[in-house]
């Protein structure tokens, strides 16, 4: 039962991505450049995370802790900035549904590869025919959305 509750939570969070993308695309129309909308998004997010860390009284990582982290683990922030900026640029051109369906298809393709090989320390989940079929159906869904 817990697994299904977590899946429902993930569905709700996914819905928030549609709202976030739409808001950021509209925010971009009020600013001088789409990158300003992305910057504003991350600035607000940073402030919220700082406040949460203060409220929850988490400690700030030390410089030596930060130095010991492999460089590629910092790419999450780069990828996040690329995603938010892409959403701002693409939603006005292709729509929210197409943008998010295509981004989800891309996520699933890479996720299946990560799962299959256990990259980044995740447990291995072999690529199966049903996983490939699910991804293929999502790609078919993107084509249907475009009709």
């Amino acid at each position: 039962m817990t697994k299904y509750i977590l899946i429902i939570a993930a569905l709700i969070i996914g819905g928030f991505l549609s709202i976030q993308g739409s808001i950021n695309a509209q925010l971009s129309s009020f600013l001088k450049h789409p990158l300003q909308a992305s910057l504003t998004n991350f600035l607000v997010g940073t402030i919220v995370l700082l406040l949460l860390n203060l409220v929850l009284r988490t400690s700030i990582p030390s410089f030596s802790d930060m130095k010991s982290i492999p460089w590629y683990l910092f790419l999450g922030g780069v990828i996040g900035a690329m995603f938010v900026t892409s959403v701002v640029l693409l939603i006005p051109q292709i729509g929210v549904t197409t943008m998010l369906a295509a981004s989800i298809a891309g996520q699933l393709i890479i996720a299946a590869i990560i799962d299959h090989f256990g990259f980044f320390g995740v447990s291995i989940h072999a690529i199966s025919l049903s996983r490939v079929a699910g991804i293929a159906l999502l790609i078919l869904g993107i084509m249907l959305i475009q009709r």
Side-chain angles (χ1 to χ4, degrees):
M1 186 62 148
T2 303
K3 182 178 181 181
Y4 295 111
I5 292 170
L6 295 175
I7 291 171
I8 290 168
L11 284 168
I12 292 168
I13 291 166
F16 285 144
L17 287 177
S18 296
I19 296 167
Q20 179 199 32
S22 301
I23 288 170
N24 286 339
Q26 187 175 13
L27 176 64
S28 177
S29 70
F30 285 90
L31 300 171
K32 294 178 182 164
H33 195 279
L35 284 174
Q36 291 177 334
S38 298
L39 177 63
T40 301
N41 173 279
F42 277 91
L43 180 62
V44 171
T46 299
I47 292 168
V48 168
L49 290 171
L50 284 170
L51 290 173
L52 280 172
N53 276 280
L54 286 171
V55 168
L56 297 175
R57 298 176 189 231
T58 65
S59 62
I60 297 172
S62 69
F63 182 73
S64 62
D65 287 341
M66 296 295 282
K67 232 171 66 172
S68 69
I69 298 171
W71 68 270
Y72 64 87
L73 295 181
F74 293 101
L75 292 177
V78 174
I79 293 167
M82 288 172 30
F83 180 77
V84 168
T85 302
S86 296
V87 166
V88 168
L89 294 171
L90 294 176
I91 282 179
Q93 304 298 317
I94 62 175
V96 179
T97 305
T98 302
M99 171 57 203
L100 289 180
S103 70
I104 291 167
Q107 289 174 51
L108 289 177
I109 291 166
I110 300 303
I113 294 167
I114 291 170
D115 273 351
H116 184 76
F117 293 105
F119 293 143
F120 308 111
V122 304
S123 56
I124 293 176
H125 299 275
I127 291 179
S128 64
L129 184 58
S130 62
R131 283 183 179 214
V132 171
I135 294 168
L137 286 171
L138 183 53
I139 292 169
L140 177 62
I142 295 166
M143 294 187 318
L144 291 173
I145 289 167
Q146 286 301 296
R147 296 189 103 202

